[in-house]
Amino acid sequence: MRGPIPTRRPDDYEQVGLLLAGAARAVADDVRALAVSLPEDDGRRLFAEFVMGQADDCLARPSRNLLRVRDRARTLRALYERLDRLQGTAPAAEAITTASP
């Protein structure tokens, strides 16, 4: 059953937005760490940098309404998707870093 959308206070949206922002920043750190291990001209790195730029823009805006909270949720999902794509490159990157003295 669908009914009217409940009205939330801006503080409620802001709180949820802060939680999503914290999670997004943590995932963005992981994405960034994997992306820098790739060659500069690698398409996966370029796309990861693009996604991180979009995430930075989204996370810089306050989330005091449902639309902004949804944007942060989409941003978090995009970061997780990028992380999944980059994790396939992690063994090669780890082999390089563990081989050095």
Side-chain angles (χ1 to χ4, degrees):
M1 297 180 86
R2 296 191 81 145
I5 298 173
T7 304
R8 302 280 185 242
R9 294 184 330 211
D11 291 345
D12 294 339
Y13 292 120
E14 188 171 11
Q15 196 65 35
V16 172
L18 288 171
L19 292 170
L20 289 169
R25 286 187 179 99
V27 176
D29 288 344
D30 292 343
V31 170
R32 192 170 281 111
L34 289 171
V36 298
S37 69
L38 297 171
E40 287 187 19
D41 61 346
D42 190 310
R44 295 168 296 179
R45 178 177 178 162
L46 297 173
F47 193 65
E49 290 172 354
F50 173 77
V51 170
M52 288 184 298
Q54 295 289 325
D56 290 341
D57 289 344
C58 178
L59 297 175
R61 293 176 291 199
S63 60
R64 296 189 55 85
N65 60 47
L66 182 59
L67 180 62
R68 294 280 173 88
V69 170
R70 285 181 180 168
D71 285 345
R72 285 195 177 179
R74 287 184 187 108
T75 297
L76 180 58
R77 185 176 77 191
L79 286 167
Y80 268 119
E81 288 172 356
R82 197 58 10 219
L83 181 63
D84 287 345
R85 299 262 184 197
L86 292 174
Q87 283 181 332
T89 64
E94 288 173 9
I96 292 169
T97 58
T98 56
S100 59

